[in-house]
């Protein structure tokens, strides 16, 4: 049996700064750190363009870069 992890990262385009910071720190960065410490782990991730743009505008480019890097390694589809 295979377990498939499908994650959907979503925040509205006008999310409040404090809520976005909390979601990034308590959710998105935890998923990313989990992939870093478990190189055999793989997930399928859906992130919409509005959230990607919001993360870039609000200074969370590390999250975008990490997603890109793990996608290149084959850990994120």
């Amino acid at each position: 049996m295979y377990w498939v992890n499908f994650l959907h990262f979503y925040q509205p385009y006008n999310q409040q700064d404090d809520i976005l910071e909390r979601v990034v720190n308590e959710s998105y960065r935890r998923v990313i750190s989990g992939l870093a410490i478990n190189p055999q782990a793989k997930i399928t991730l859906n992130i919409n363009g509005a959230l990607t743009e919001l993360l870039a505008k609000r200074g969370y480019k590390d999250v975008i870069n990490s997603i890109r890097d793990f996608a290149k390694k084959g850990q994120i589809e």
Side-chain angles (χ1 to χ4, degrees):
M1 181 170 91
Y2 289 97
W3 179 265
V4 178
N5 294 307
F6 180 85
L7 302 176
H8 178 70
F9 285 9
Y10 173 79
Q11 293 298 306
Y13 73 94
N14 60 348
Q15 184 59 277
Q16 296 173 204
D17 289 340
D18 60 325
I19 294 173
L20 181 63
E21 180 179 11
R22 187 170 178 189
V23 170
V24 167
N25 290 328
E26 293 182 11
S27 181
Y28 304 158
R29 285 185 174 145
R30 285 188 179 190
V31 169
I32 290 166
S33 68
L35 291 171
I37 61 174
N38 295 297
Q40 74 284 0
K42 296 181 181 185
I43 62 170
T44 300
L45 175 67
N46 178 32
I47 181 170
N48 65 16
L51 177 55
T52 304
E53 187 176 294
L54 184 64
L55 292 171
K57 284 182 181 177
R58 303 266 179 94
Y60 298 107
K61 290 184 181 179
D62 64 299
V63 174
I64 298 168
N65 293 336
S66 294
I67 291 170
R68 181 199 63 222
D69 294 344
F70 284 114
K72 286 181 180 178
K73 291 179 184 178
Q75 282 185 266
I76 292 180
E77 176 181 15

